[in-house]
Amino acid sequence: MISRILVPIAFAAALAGAPSESVAQAKVKAVASFSILGDMVKEVGGERVQVTTLVGPNGDAHVYQPTPTDAKTLARADILVINGLGFEGWMERLEESSGFKGNVITASDGVKPIDASAEQDHAEASEHHEDKHADHNAHDEHEEPAEHEGHDHGAIDPHAWQDLANGQIYVANIRDGLVAADPEGKATYEANAAKYLSEIEKVVGHVKEGLGRLPEARRKIITSHDAFAYFGRAYDLKIIAPEGVSTESEASAKDVAKIIRQIKAEKIPAAFLENVTDRRLLDQIASETGAKIGGTLYSDALSEPGGPASTYLDMFRHNVEVLTTALSS
Ligand code: ZN
């Protein structure tokens, strides 16, 4: 749909006397699986790349159902950018049905994945925070086969973008993938990526400074699904979530009861809504524990353009603002 609209406009612009480069250079067609990757590909690709995003603003990529239009869009694309780590469970079938022949960029290639079942344990163990991480990292080289435990759908937590250092790995992978698919654009992609990577670095400083001011006792939060383990690991925040790393299955009454006991025992100050999940569960937990609802965090999708988190970096700025406002008082 988007490309059908954009092509005539680009053509009309060319006739109207747009720079000659845009006439000679057909744009690279990239498809990004979800909005956060779409934003990254736009940053790195710039003018050379036309980006279509499958799961748009406020969309839930865990449970997305591709449309026939998605298959047509993908069939025409040169590049497909996915998160990987099991996030887009629906992608393989879409790729097959579309007959996509281009390059796939897996943005998370090279990140240190979090084992979701280990992280669940971690969230429940209040002591030995650092030790457990060191232990976990030491075993990364020898991954055990995925074990299903409780509500988790697979052992790997896919939300790696919630650590900005991983975001930098994503950007480097996107840059390298674009260079491989469009070598003529190498200088452009490298310059765009370098600029973007340094912007990300600035936001890292902002996040660490903002969250660093929170007292130890208030560095614990509740979210509805377990989307912030990478965030918590990177910026020293304890995250508790009644739902697992996917939104596919709802929390059981037993899970909710356990969380409610934990919130009371640990005096967790606030619960945060997410832009991709229903608020009823959190409202119930908040009312039964007295934890306040601290605001809405953007976890798996950006906001609409013009909203508070319409880019990857605005998402971090917004989330840190919401967290520090709710947790510092
Ligand atoms: Zn998620």
Side-chain angles (χ1 to χ4, degrees):
M1 191 63 115
I2 287 171
S3 63
R4 278 186 201 159
I5 294 164
L6 285 183
V7 167
I9 290 170
F11 185 62
L15 289 177
S20 58
E21 194 192 19
S22 67
V23 179
Q25 178 67 50
K27 291 197 179 193
V28 174
K29 291 190 190 70
V31 169
S33 60
F34 75 118
S35 54
I36 291 167
L37 290 183
D39 177 51
M40 290 178 169
V41 179
K42 280 177 199 158
E43 288 286 345
V44 181
E47 294 292 310
R48 295 185 71 90
V49 179
Q50 177 195 309
V51 185
T52 304
T53 297
L54 298 181
V55 185
N58 302 312
D60 182 353
H62 291 289
V63 294
Y64 183 66
Q65 298 194 326
T67 65
T69 306
D70 292 340
K72 283 181 203 155
T73 305
L74 190 52
R76 287 192 297 260
D78 305 302
I79 292 173
L80 169 63
V81 187
I82 62 168
N83 182 71
L85 303 177
F87 187 52
E88 304 98 336
W90 39 271
M91 186 59 85
E92 207 175 302
R93 264 175 74 184
L94 175 62
E95 261 187 86
E96 277 169 21
S97 70
S98 72
F100 172 69
K101 297 276 192 304
N103 295 355
V104 178
I105 302 173
T106 304
S108 68
D109 264 356
V111 309
K112 202 181 262 298
I114 288 178
D115 181 319
S117 43
E119 191 62 23
Q120 197 67 26
D121 295 343
H122 157 71
E124 284 156 16
S126 57
E127 307 296 323
H128 311 302
H129 179 101
E130 296 302 329
D131 292 357
K132 252 194 113 75
H133 277 313
D135 214 45
H136 171 66
N137 292 343
H139 289 92
D140 270 354
E141 310 280 306
H142 317 279
E143 265 166 36
E144 303 290 323
E147 268 179 50
H148 287 256
E149 194 169 309
H151 45 238
D152 291 331
H153 283 251
I156 299 300
D157 180 339
H159 306 90
W161 62 85
Q162 287 293 352
D163 175 349
L164 286 160
N166 288 340
Q168 290 175 314
I169 294 174
Y170 279 39
V171 169
N173 286 329
I174 290 166
R175 175 197 62 206
D176 295 348
L178 287 173
V179 170
D182 175 28
E184 281 177 34
K186 187 170 190 277
T188 304
Y189 300 136
E190 286 180 346
N192 290 349
K195 181 165 167 278
Y196 190 35
L197 288 169
S198 73
E199 282 172 34
I200 296 176
E201 198 57 43
K202 279 184 209 149
V203 179
V204 171
H206 172 75
V207 171
K208 287 187 172 168
E209 200 226 354
L211 295 176
R213 280 189 253 121
L214 294 174
E216 188 61 37
R218 300 190 67 85
R219 310 182 72 89
K220 350 179 199 188
I221 68 163
I222 308 144
T223 60
S224 26
H225 93 297
D226 199 4
F228 291 97
Y230 290 90
F231 187 95
R233 181 174 76 175
Y235 312 116
D236 191 21
L237 203 65
K238 180 171 171 176
I239 319 285
I240 294 143
E243 290 176 7
V245 294
S246 176
T247 54
E248 253 179 302
S249 56
E250 293 185 356
S252 68
K254 199 174 144 222
D255 293 332
V256 174
K258 195 164 87 178
I259 293 260
I260 285 172
R261 282 197 304 275
Q262 191 180 3
I263 292 165
K264 288 177 175 166
E266 296 192 37
K267 299 186 172 60
I268 294 166
F272 294 84
L273 307 170
E274 287 170 64
N275 66 319
V276 298
T277 56
D278 187 285
R279 66 174 293 154
R280 279 172 296 186
L281 176 60
L282 266 242
D283 283 338
Q284 181 204 338
I285 289 173
S287 77
E288 287 187 36
T289 58
K292 70 174 170 181
I293 299 283
T296 298
L297 299 177
Y298 287 78
S299 54
D300 295 20
L302 301 176
S303 67
E304 298 282 355
S310 62
T311 69
Y312 176 60
L313 292 180
D314 279 348
M315 175 180 82
F316 275 85
R317 293 187 190 101
H318 169 84
N319 286 351
V320 166
E321 160 118 34
V322 166
L323 287 166
T324 50
T325 303
L327 295 174
S328 53
S329 58

